Amino acid sequence: MSESTTIVIFGASGDLTHRKLIPSLYDLYRKDRLPDTWRILGVARSDYSDDSFREYLETGVKEFAKDTYTAKRWREFAKGISYFRGDITSLESIKDLDKFIGEWETDGDGNRIYYLSVAPNLYEKTIANLGAAHMVNEDRGWRRVVIEKPFGHDLASARQLNQAVHHVLAESQVYRIDHYLGKETVQNLLVFRFANSLYEPVWNRNYIDHVQITAAETVDVGHRAHFYDGVGVMRDMMQNHVMQLLSLVATEPPSSFEAEAIRNEKAKVFSAIRPIRPQDVAKSTVRGQYRTYRDAEGVAPGSTTPTYAALRFFVDNWRWQGVPFYMRSGKALAAKVTEITIFFKRPPHVMFPMPANSKPAPNRLSICIQPDEGIHFSFQAKVPDTTAEMRNVEMAFHYDESFGTQSIPEAYERLLLDVIKGDASLFTRSDAIDLSWQLIDPILEGWNSNFAPPLNFYESGTWGPEEAKELIAHDGYSWVHGCSHEEDN
Ligand SMILES: NC(=O)c1ccc[n+]([C@@H]2O[C@H](COP(=O)([O-])OP(=O)(O)OC[C@H]3O[C@@H](n4cnc5c(N)ncnc54)[C@H](OP(=O)(O)O)[C@@H]3O)[C@@H](O)[C@H]2O)c1
């Protein structure tokens, strides 16, 4: 069978293709990681020739792969890119596309990736058309379909989409992308936990007091207001990125590094998380909206779409019983930062003299996902030239210091390479999607009911509503920035 591979990008005139997909494919080409025979075919309705399409893409590579762009390498790479003008909602158009691709493939043999970089409301129709045009049969080469986030709007729509997907495709052909999982720092979490024998014995309820996960953005909704309104932070960030981070912190060691082994363990974590019932949302969740959100063009008057959420989950299994996981995410916050901080329990007995009513700070391990990429461990040390005064000090690992500034590839680069290689470890399986919606749906339901906590307004550039501090203060904690050491304001 031929090893030629065609990467078909639906929605190729759009933002994601321009900013992420083509710059990442360019870098894969530069590193000689594309298959021996490859071609990239952009599909959209806009009127481009091959040349004008390449020119448009080149501007993206110049901007988003600027450290590696050279005109010479781009020209070599661009020879493999072409454009097909078509409407993916039209079966005729999809059949024409099939013929077009077939002309390039030798004797009808060739592998294909179909990347759905289009609005989510086009996923079902596109997949159905690919099925109806027999374009996903694998008798003449493999067929893989990449589906962008968001996957569903709630549990019912995610199930409907999964059904539509499975009607046409085997699960092994489906690659549901959550680009957070392509980040080196996120992948390193598994290596850190399971390739070092030091941490695993203490990675449980006996030693861990609580866990905080923060995924904060400084940007507001900007020109995406129309898309964002009615979606909100729970669907945009919590259901996918933040829940994925939680699953990696909480997972049991998989028996192997095979995709199914890892995905099985992650699914077990989601099934062990105690759902927050609609009637309990006021106790375990906080929702907020930055004060100027409703002024953005595209936001419905009086919109109650939350741009901030803080939650407390418990994972009901032997490892994690009783350990709270606090998660927060929002827009227009004080800093762009994604981090996970694990708080260990304080020593059971302190023999050192300490000021009245004070305790040594707990050991804290922070996994810094962005923008600081690394790991910080903070612990107590004796202040020199004192009898026994203690202070928190830190050991830190930073990717750029240890591996050089070029060491971290764009998440999409890694994920696209995995699709080419057929490694689905970093992609979300249908059951995990379903299970995570089962946790998010009751919260959204509660927020739409009489049980809803108030929608708290916060100033842009702060750390969100005061009530989020109260949620965690109620349990005796406060939010920390283990990577940047900023203070919540
Ligand atoms: N942009 C990001 O950073 C980002 C991040 C995470 C996830 N995503 C997801 O990725 C997907 C794409 O996002 P995007 O930001 O690139 O969207 P976008 O800028 O709106 O691009 C989508 C493209 O789809 C094309 N299109 C629409 N209807 C079509 C049809 N009937 N047939 C063929 N092409 C059609 C449009 O081009 P024509 O008008 O030329 O047809 C448009 O350029 C979305 O699902 C989004 O949620 C995006």
Side-chain angles (χ1 to χ4, degrees), residues 63-74:
E63 185 176 353
F64 300 107
K66 58 176 178 297
D67 294 341
T68 55
Y69 169 85
T70 66
K72 180 172 173 289
R73 292 299 263 168
W74 166 260

Side-chain angles (χ1 to χ4, degrees), residues 126-422:
T126 311
I127 291 168
N129 277 344
L130 288 172
H134 309 293
M135 287 167 72
V136 290
N137 302 347
E138 297 200 289
D139 35 352
R140 311 297 297 265
W142 50 252
R143 300 286 182 265
R144 295 176 188 149
V145 177
V146 184
I147 306 178
E148 261 297 338
K149 74 149 223 188
F151 197 93
H153 186 76
D154 53 18
L155 180 60
S157 60
R159 282 189 174 161
Q160 185 186 321
L161 180 54
N162 266 332
Q163 249 174 15
V165 164
H166 291 148
H167 190 64
V168 172
L169 299 159
E171 179 64 25
S172 58
Q173 293 178 281
V174 187
Y175 292 73
R176 296 173 194 81
I177 270 206
D178 184 330
H179 69 266
Y180 259 51
L181 296 182
K183 290 182 186 292
E184 287 286 340
T185 40
V186 174
Q187 293 163 45
N188 190 44
L189 194 48
L190 286 186
V191 174
F192 180 77
R193 283 193 55 196
F194 301 129
N196 297 297
S197 55
L198 187 62
Y199 306 104
E200 201 40 32
V202 296
W203 208 263
N204 56 51
R205 65 188 301 276
N206 297 327
Y207 294 93
I208 292 180
D209 185 68
H210 75 284
V211 177
Q212 296 185 13
I213 304 179
T214 298
E217 298 178 282
T218 47
V219 290
D220 58 21
V221 289
H223 67 276
R224 290 176 72 231
H226 186 70
F227 153 78
Y228 192 87
D229 201 37
V231 173
V233 65
M234 291 297 286
R235 297 181 171 98
D236 191 41
M237 294 293 290
M238 284 288 185
Q239 181 272 332
N240 35 63
H241 306 322
V242 183
M243 293 300 283
Q244 288 294 334
L245 296 181
L246 189 163
S247 74
L248 290 172
V249 175
T251 181
E252 294 299 316
S255 57
S256 75
F257 202 50
E258 295 297 312
E260 290 318 299
I262 296 170
R263 292 159 126 201
N264 287 344
E265 294 305 333
K266 283 170 61 181
K268 281 190 211 160
V269 174
F270 288 132
S271 1
I273 296 174
R274 188 186 311 161
I276 298 172
R277 300 177 306 169
Q279 58 269 41
D280 295 332
V281 284
K283 264 197 319 212
S284 298
T285 73
V286 168
R287 58 183 186 140
Q289 189 183 80
Y290 63 86
R291 213 169 274 288
T292 54
Y293 173 72
R294 292 175 185 173
D295 302 339
E297 202 182 320
V299 171
S303 166
T304 56
T305 298
T307 60
Y308 177 97
L311 318 172
R312 178 186 46 220
F313 271 131
F314 287 95
V315 181
D316 283 337
N317 60 19
W318 271 54
R319 187 187 284 267
W320 294 114
Q321 188 61 47
V323 178
F325 285 73
Y326 300 95
M327 304 161 35
R328 60 176 173 167
S329 181
K331 288 203 173 290
L333 296 181
K336 177 179 165 65
V337 59
T338 304
E339 64 175 56
I340 302 165
T341 293
I342 319 284
F343 287 80
F344 291 89
K345 292 194 168 166
R346 293 177 203 271
H349 167 68
V350 183
M351 61 185 181
F352 307 107
M354 294 205 62
N357 299 326
S358 70
K359 297 178 194 158
N363 294 149
R364 216 167 70 185
L365 180 75
S366 294
I367 294 149
C368 312
I369 298 192
Q370 64 181 17
D372 171 13
E373 293 162 317
I375 293 175
H376 295 203
F377 181 62
S378 95
F379 57 99
Q380 294 288 303
K382 180 179 168 295
V383 176
D385 207 16
T386 62
T387 316
E389 196 182 320
M390 288 176 283
R391 212 178 66 201
N392 243 18
V393 294
E394 196 166 80
M395 291 197 290
F397 148 70
H398 292 114
Y399 268 85
D400 54 357
E401 284 167 12
S402 298
F403 298 112
T405 47
Q406 292 280 317
S407 58
I408 299 218
E410 165 61 48
Y412 276 95
E413 186 183 323
R414 164 67 196 258
L415 295 170
L416 281 160
L417 183 61
D418 282 358
V419 180
I420 293 168
K421 291 195 302 198

